Amino acid sequence: MGTHSRAAGALLARASTLHLQTGNLLNWGRLRKKCPSTHSEELRDCIQKTLNEWSSQISPDLVREFPDVLECTVSHAVEKINPDEREEMKVSAKLFIVGSNSSSSTRNAVDMACSVLGVAQLDSVIIASPPIEDGVNLSLEHLQPYWEELQNLVQSKKIVAIGTSDLDKTQLEQLYQWAQVKPNSNQVNLASCCVMPPDLTAFAKQFDIQLLTHNDPKELLSEASFQEALQESIPGIQAREWAPLWLLRYSVIVKSRGVIKSKGYILQAKRKGS
Amino acid sequence: MGLLSQGSPLSWEETQRHADHVRRHGILQFLHIYHAVKDRHKDVLKWGDEVEYMLVSFDHENKKVQLVLSGEEVLETLQEKGERTNPNHPTLWRPEYGSYMIEGTPGQPYGGTMSEFNTVEDNMRKRRQEATSLLGDNQAVCTITSFPRLGCPGFTLPEFRPRPVEGGASKSLFFPDEAINKHPRFSTLTRNIRHRRGEKVVINVPIFKDKNTPSPFIETFPEDDEAAKAAKPDHIYMDAMGFGMGNCCLQVTFQACSISEARYLYDQLATICPIVMALSAASPFYRGYVSDIDCRWGVISASVDDRTREERGLEPLKNNSYRISKSRYDSIDSYLSECGEKYNDLDLTIDREIYGHLLQEGIDHLLAQHVAHLFIRDPLTLFEEKIHLDDANESDHFENIQSTNWQTMRFKPPPPNSDIGWRVEFRPMEVQLTDFENSAYVVFVVLLTRVILSYKLDFLIPLSKVDENMKVAQKRDAVLRGRFYFRKDICKGGSAVVDGCGKAAGAEPAAEEYALMTIDTIINGKEGVFPGLIPILNSYLENMEVDVDTRCSILNYLKLIKKRASGELMTVARWMREFIAKHPDYKQDSVITDKINYSLLLKCNQIANELCECPELLGPAFRKVKYSGSKTDPSN
């Protein structure tokens, strides 16, 4: 373990970008004993286990190479969608923007998800509300840069449908009026699914926007909790230098059977100042 | 309750003469089906529920409630106005054992998308309304599992006195033949079970000993030798098929994507049967007495037990071929999936010849022994016109035996020449008072199948332990007091195929694979012990796209199950017990009088029709929560 984490530490000290992907969590067998935890706990656990798996399998060749971009995966859990079965599946993703960042994050995330799953197109991408300063209300301007990028991805056929999360009626209406590619869904928190604000329900119905549910916390992954996870898995590195840019959660559902085929996380982090 | 044919039913002697013919051709019919569709795969999820109803009539003046013997006419009208007029009619109706019963199902099966879960309750409500609209004044359809005064004097409308004569169907001291559905299948079944058995069926349910209940509690039947011998002290004695098959239940059938998925789900759900049965407990009263059990299962089991004394092991085998350990109505005796094989620890009685024949025809050991076990039974009814059949295109003989093996789970091959896939039926649940509760249990079970398939869960424990659970599950307050064997590590983790068994295959099951748990632990989980089925369901739901209306319904359904498991809400059985205990006419003597029965059923009917709340059963004003938000009439 010591040598493993030393090799991982050495690689991380020289790289500028980290791509972490969990593979199919359903292949992990991770329900064992513990209750399925909250999304945040699950995610943290996934990040650590992925780092541990990866660092235990670093080849000497890799250490000699010192790549700038580290691809960190649980190799045995990686699972592409069989092209013959693609039609039967619905591939959905939710994108969480973590850092202050460039608009290329959206495209990077979608490209990576497609390549990880071996598909040309995602059926649906929902963007979680980007982080904003405390006390400020989310407005259209906060969303616009990401939405523009998502619209481009729809136009280039990388995504079929795009949606939002946690928008109230006013926010959703503003986006709807401005957007070229309209949102086809808006997720609301599970806690409010039985007490929906009537104005939002009416607006969504009028413009054929699906109201879906989620159970994500306001902040699924903070910079600090990512750094803690990193520090715990690979002690002795400068975890504070690393900041996550985005996180994407995907699921692959067998449409006509209600069965989850695959589910996982992909994350990109950068070394600050690199 | 199974296949219905028109025609002239044969007597038991004649039926028995054709038993081997029926079995032989039943097997040929099964083989035709198997070979034609064994490779079917990629079938979509389709599923449906079955709810059974009793027709009751309130006599408000005399404070009496009776079962109305008009099921046949009501059914005829329901079918005439419904499915026969419009093939897309939203409901389907079928006859049931009691002349006071009908069974309703959705007109079309539900599909595999999440929003279908939000249509179940609405469809059940339609069924209730449809049937109610045909009834006379002061009549109602009730979804109660057992009618508390079934078999008491004057329990039917019109009233009939039982005539316990040999030429009748039941020969019961309590249950008149007029209360049996008039279709000849039902009385023939009743008579043939009795004739095959060689005596009347015997049902003894332990009485609940209240403060003023005589102890010992003894009923005497001087006019009937059989009854005098069969009735046990401290038990409520019953002597007819109607006491069992005249109860209502709640079933779910679903289509699997392939035969191997069907076998996998059959096995997995078999372990869930006792748990969900205890959670659905709704039948504490029999023949006008308070009993010490909460579930109907054992009563029905005894009510159709057609085994002879030889088969039951009371006499040496002379005329019969086997000792048989269970009634035709009982828990399953063998798992069907490869992973289940090592947990098959019950002595399985099989027809050796049939087993050999099936193996020869390329059926694997597990499926062959399952079918050869079902086929140790004799056909119970046979119609003169339906003896000689086209084995390649009909399956009546196979279904004859299959559909009179009433087990906790049923593995259903597709009907010949149909586009239906392999199906599995989940049969242990007791029917609940309201459409809301019935929807909750049904949705819980169907969601559980999706979770089992998604997460490749493994609940298997030795079948003998499942049988022990079945016994515990029926006891009074089992949901809170019972301890059930359950598998500790339910995650197969990584074995990607439905019928792969992971690395442990072949090894002897270790004792520590399972432990005794409460239903609360099994359903809601316990830190460090077991994750809990509801937390796993929630985790599944978070990964599915679910619209807010559907999610709200599912949330309320799972809340009900969760709180019934934890004891925060009562089961129907517990609630009924407390209702009668508080009734001013109740004398703490375990007797349910006409008046008490009237009050109870009136209350049940009010709850079912949402005319009053029942927070101890359903939760505090759950309707208000549900309807205060966006949830509106689905038709607008």
Side-chain angles (χ1 to χ4, degrees):
Chain A
M1 187 66 208
T3 37
H4 292 149
S5 78
R6 260 200 302 282
L11 286 171
L12 275 162
R14 301 273 288 270
S16 72
T17 306
L18 175 69
H19 288 160
L20 183 143
Q21 62 137 321
T22 60
N24 185 357
L25 294 176
L26 301 181
N27 291 346
W28 277 34
R30 54 179 314 287
L31 284 166
R32 244 170 257 273
K33 292 254 159 65
K34 240 176 94 194
C35 294
S37 42
T38 63
H39 277 316
S40 304
E41 287 171 36
E42 175 188 76
L43 174 60
R44 221 187 120 133
D45 192 42
C46 285
I47 293 174
Q48 292 192 341
K49 288 205 173 114
T50 305
L51 286 166
N52 294 344
E53 272 292 306
W54 167 74
S55 57
S56 70
Q57 287 174 18
I58 295 172
S59 71
D61 289 350
L62 192 69
V63 180
R64 278 191 291 275
E65 255 173 57
F66 282 118
D68 186 47
V69 178
L70 290 178
E71 301 287 343
C72 170
T73 64
V74 179
S75 46
H76 70 87
V78 171
E79 188 180 85
K80 288 195 193 300
I81 296 175
N82 178 348
D84 295 340
E85 293 177 353
R86 177 65 183 90
E87 278 289 280
E88 298 156 36
M89 307 294 164
K90 172 150 190 185
V91 183
S92 313
K94 185 168 181 179
L95 177 61
F96 301 84
I97 301 295
V98 187
S100 58
N101 78 77
S102 61
S103 56
S104 63
S105 285
T106 311
R107 176 173 294 274
N108 287 344
V110 170
D111 282 343
M112 267 186 72
C114 286
S115 109
V116 160
L117 293 169
V119 296
Q121 192 181 44
L122 304 181
D123 294 309
S124 133
V125 174
I126 283 171
I127 176 120
S129 296
I132 44 172
E133 292 158 57
D134 282 347
V136 178
N137 267 339
L138 183 86
S139 67
L140 183 59
E141 294 85 74
H142 295 110
L143 271 175
Q144 273 168 335
Y146 305 106
W147 198 262
E148 274 169 352
E149 200 55 29
L150 285 171
Q151 292 184 143
N152 293 338
L153 290 162
V154 172
Q155 272 146 8
S156 61
K157 302 210 159 37
K158 274 283 193 185
I159 311 178
V160 180
I162 49 181
T164 55
S165 187
D166 298 299
L167 299 194
D168 64 22
K169 188 252 177 183
T170 314
Q171 293 161 339
L172 188 60
E173 189 171 25
Q174 284 174 353
L175 176 69
Y176 191 89
Q177 279 165 358
W178 166 80
Q180 273 185 301
V181 178
K182 310 293 182 192
N184 98 317
S185 63
N186 178 41
Q187 285 190 335
V188 303
N189 192 284
L190 178 61
S192 51
C193 74
C194 290
V195 283
M196 288 294 292
D199 63 340
L200 178 59
T201 309
F203 179 79
K205 192 168 184 177
Q206 189 184 351
F207 294 99
D208 205 17
I209 300 168
Q210 257 196 303
L211 292 175
L212 304 173
T213 45
H214 73 78
N215 197 21
D216 296 317
K218 215 163 164 228
E219 188 174 47
L220 182 57
L221 179 71
S222 67
E223 188 173 302
S225 68
F226 174 74
Q227 289 168 350
E228 277 169 35
L230 199 58
Q231 192 77 62
E232 257 180 63
S233 296
I234 308 168
I237 66 154
Q238 295 296 322
R240 292 258 173 84
E241 292 180 354
W242 286 90
L245 297 187
W246 54 262
L247 168 78
L248 179 141
R249 183 177 63 220
Y250 63 84
S251 64
V252 180
I253 309 292
V254 189
K255 278 184 277 191
S256 60
R257 293 174 54 223
V259 170
I260 306 172
K261 179 93 175 164
S262 172
K263 168 201 167 156
Y265 291 98
I266 310 171
L267 172 156
Q268 187 184 52
K270 289 246 184 221
R271 194 131 61 86
K272 289 178 189 170
S274 63
Chain B
M1 54 167 271
L3 186 74
L4 272 195
S5 310
Q6 294 294 338
S8 332
L10 300 180
S11 71
W12 170 239
E13 286 69 31
E14 292 166 310
T15 304
Q16 202 174 21
R17 265 204 298 283
H18 291 98
D20 282 327
H21 171 89
V22 169
R23 273 191 289 262
R24 197 164 54 246
H25 288 274
I27 290 297
L28 292 175
Q29 291 165 6
F30 170 74
L31 285 167
H32 272 289
I33 294 170
Y34 178 83
H35 287 305
V37 294
K38 64 177 191 295
D39 296 322
R40 263 187 90 111
H41 66 298
K42 294 201 175 183
D43 277 318
V44 302
L45 170 66
K46 285 185 182 172
W47 61 278
D49 65 86
E50 293 162 50
V51 179
E52 293 169 3
Y53 303 83
M54 288 190 193
L55 310 176
V56 306
S57 175
F58 294 100
D59 177 349
H60 297 298
E61 206 173 310
N62 296 307
K63 304 264 185 281
K64 188 173 165 153
V65 58
Q66 292 169 304
L67 293 172
V68 192
L69 304 183
S70 62
E72 299 84 355
E73 296 86 64
V74 171
L75 177 73
E76 172 62 26
T77 316
L78 284 168
Q79 291 184 335
E80 189 53 46
K81 284 186 162 175
E83 61 193 273
R84 277 186 242 147
T85 311
N86 171 12
N88 295 318
H89 192 76
T91 62
L92 284 178
W93 295 94
R94 294 293 173 262
E96 255 306 324
Y97 181 84
S99 176
Y100 51 87
M101 291 165 78
I102 46 173
E103 177 188 282
T105 63
Q108 309 293 327
Y110 303 115
T113 56
M114 298 303 287
S115 58
E116 309 254 351
F117 289 117
N118 210 22
T119 65
V120 180
E121 192 174 339
D122 185 50
N123 190 278
M124 285 188 187
R125 194 165 291 134
K126 270 201 186 96
R127 280 177 247 168
R128 194 181 288 273
Q129 282 163 359
E130 227 176 68
T132 305
S133 73
L134 300 181
L135 301 180
D137 287 347
N138 300 321
Q139 295 188 356
V141 289
C142 279
T143 42
I144 47 169
T145 297
S146 70
F147 185 73
R149 283 182 57 84
L150 194 74
C152 294
F155 77 98
T156 61
L157 183 73
E159 291 187 17
F160 288 99
R161 290 170 77 96
R163 279 164 293 120
V165 294
E166 190 51 46
S170 295
K171 204 186 164 190
S172 169
L173 298 176
F174 320 104
F175 196 96
D177 285 350
E178 287 84 353
I180 303 173
N181 189 309
K182 291 176 191 71
H183 188 288
R185 168 182 152 91
F186 298 100
S187 47
T188 307
L189 258 177
T190 312
R191 186 182 304 109
N192 287 356
I193 284 175
R194 180 164 62 83
H195 285 170
R196 189 185 187 287
R197 180 179 167 93
E199 59 190 28
K200 284 201 289 189
V201 294
V202 174
I203 310 160
N204 278 300
V205 173
I207 190 141
F208 171 72
K209 286 280 182 71
D210 211 337
K211 248 191 292 177
N212 302 324
T213 313
S215 195
F217 170 86
I218 294 173
E219 292 185 286
T220 50
F221 305 101
E223 74 284 14
D224 188 296
D225 261 8
E226 265 186 89
K229 255 190 276 172
K232 286 202 224 164
D234 288 331
H235 284 72
I236 307 158
Y237 167 70
M238 292 170 277
D239 66 347
M241 180 168 169
F243 284 107
M245 286 296 187
N247 293 333
C248 293
C249 50
L250 174 66
Q251 288 154 351
V252 197
T253 301
F254 38 86
Q255 175 170 284
C257 75
S258 64
I259 187 171
S260 65
E261 186 184 282
R263 293 168 70 163
Y264 170 55
L265 286 175
Y266 175 93
D267 288 2
Q268 297 300 326
L269 288 177
T271 67
I272 299 297
C273 286
I275 312 304
V276 177
M277 187 172 72
L279 265 173
S280 70
S283 47
F285 310 137
Y286 298 91
R287 238 195 80 228
Y289 293 110
V290 181
S291 83
D292 212 29
I293 61 168
D294 273 359
C295 293
R296 81 212 183 280
W297 190 266
V299 175
I300 312 190
S301 179
S303 82
V304 291
D305 190 353
D306 71 340
R307 292 172 301 159
T308 64
R309 292 181 63 81
E310 293 178 22
E311 286 169 337
R312 280 177 281 144
L314 302 173
E315 284 172 17
L317 282 175
K318 205 172 83 195
N319 300 311
N320 294 122
S321 318
Y322 329 93
R323 286 278 162 81
I324 302 176
S325 60
K326 288 181 189 169
S327 163
R328 304 173 76 114
Y329 191 110
D330 217 314
S331 49
I332 66 157
D333 289 306
S334 68
Y335 287 125
L336 280 178
S337 67
E338 262 177 66
C339 305
E341 183 156 21
K342 66 175 171 169
Y343 300 105
N344 275 336
D345 66 339
L346 297 177
D347 264 338
L348 197 67
T349 311
I350 58 169
D351 183 316
R352 286 266 146 215
E353 206 177 309
I354 287 175
Y355 174 74
H357 182 194
L358 291 167
L359 284 190
Q360 241 170 35
E361 291 286 336
I363 311 276
D364 60 278
H365 159 68
L366 289 166
L367 184 55
Q369 72 170 8
H370 166 76
V371 175
H373 175 59
L374 299 182
F375 273 66
I376 59 173
R377 311 286 177 174
D378 281 338
L380 288 174
T381 55
L382 193 58
F383 290 84
E384 206 179 318
E385 299 81 356
K386 288 278 191 179
I387 297 174
H388 299 286
L389 300 173
D390 171 5
D391 290 335
N393 294 298
E394 289 176 277
S395 63
D396 291 35
H397 290 327
F398 172 72
E399 287 297 335
N400 188 325
I401 304 291
Q402 157 99 337
S403 71
T404 52
N405 271 276
W406 297 280
Q407 299 179 337
T408 40
M409 297 295 305
R410 189 176 280 159
F411 173 71
K412 301 170 89 158
N417 310 317
S418 74
D419 58 359
I420 298 172
W422 294 88
R423 289 161 303 157
V424 171
E425 185 179 357
F426 184 78
R427 305 169 41 81
M429 290 188 285
E430 310 233 312
V431 78
Q432 310 292 301
L433 296 183
T434 63
D435 299 323
F436 165 70
E437 294 163 279
N438 286 318
S439 303
Y441 282 83
V442 160
V443 166
F444 172 75
V445 170
V446 179
L447 278 175
L448 187 59
T449 65
R450 301 305 100 190
V451 171
I452 292 171
L453 293 173
S454 295
Y455 297 148
K456 297 155 195 132
L457 299 182
D458 182 7
F459 298 141
L460 299 189
I461 56 173
L463 261 181
S464 59
K465 296 294 172 205
V466 178
D467 273 3
E468 285 183 46
N469 287 348
M470 280 299 287
K471 290 198 180 84
V472 174
Q474 299 173 55
K475 292 185 178 162
R476 177 164 51 87
D477 293 329
V479 69
L480 299 183
R481 301 203 303 208
R483 298 285 181 278
F484 297 83
Y485 291 103
F486 211 81
R487 194 179 171 96
K488 291 189 282 186
D489 180 4
I490 58 171
C491 195
K492 289 169 121 170
S495 55
V497 280
V498 149
D499 42 6
C501 302
K503 45 197 179 303
E508 280 295 300
E512 56 273 23
E513 273 188 347
Y514 52 86
L516 282 169
M517 299 184 199
T518 62
I519 289 204
D520 189 27
T521 300
I522 295 168
I523 296 292
N524 296 320
K526 189 172 175 187
E527 190 66 46
V529 177
F530 187 72
L533 300 181
I534 292 213
I536 300 174
L537 283 183
N538 282 331
S539 141
Y540 162 85
L541 287 165
E542 282 169 17
N543 289 293
M544 299 298 291
E545 269 179 20
V546 196
D547 67 87
V548 288
D549 279 353
T550 304
R551 194 64 185 84
C552 175
S553 299
I554 294 176
L555 200 70
N556 286 322
Y557 295 158
L558 296 186
K559 209 183 275 177
L560 179 83
I561 304 288
K562 174 193 159 113
K563 291 182 174 179
R564 290 252 170 109
S566 70
E568 198 178 325
L569 293 177
M570 295 179 187
T571 59
V572 176
R574 168 62 20 213
W575 175 80
M576 286 182 164
R577 286 180 189 279
E578 305 213 344
F579 183 90
I580 71 118
K582 279 183 285 193
H583 195 280
D585 281 17
Y586 181 63
K587 300 196 172 59
Q588 279 82 49
D589 57 356
S590 314
V591 174
I592 297 166
T593 61
D594 265 324
K595 227 176 186 174
I596 299 173
N597 195 32
Y598 166 82
S599 306
L600 176 64
L601 268 99
L602 200 60
K603 183 77 177 176
C604 290
N605 192 42
Q606 285 169 347
I607 294 170
N609 289 298
E610 296 172 32
L611 300 172
C612 69
E613 286 181 355
C614 190
E616 59 274 36
L617 188 67
L618 306 173
F622 73 99
R623 287 284 157 203
K624 229 165 68 198
V625 177
K626 193 166 173 189
Y627 286 128
S628 67
S630 72
K631 179 77 192 173
T632 50
D633 183 348
S635 61
N636 62 21

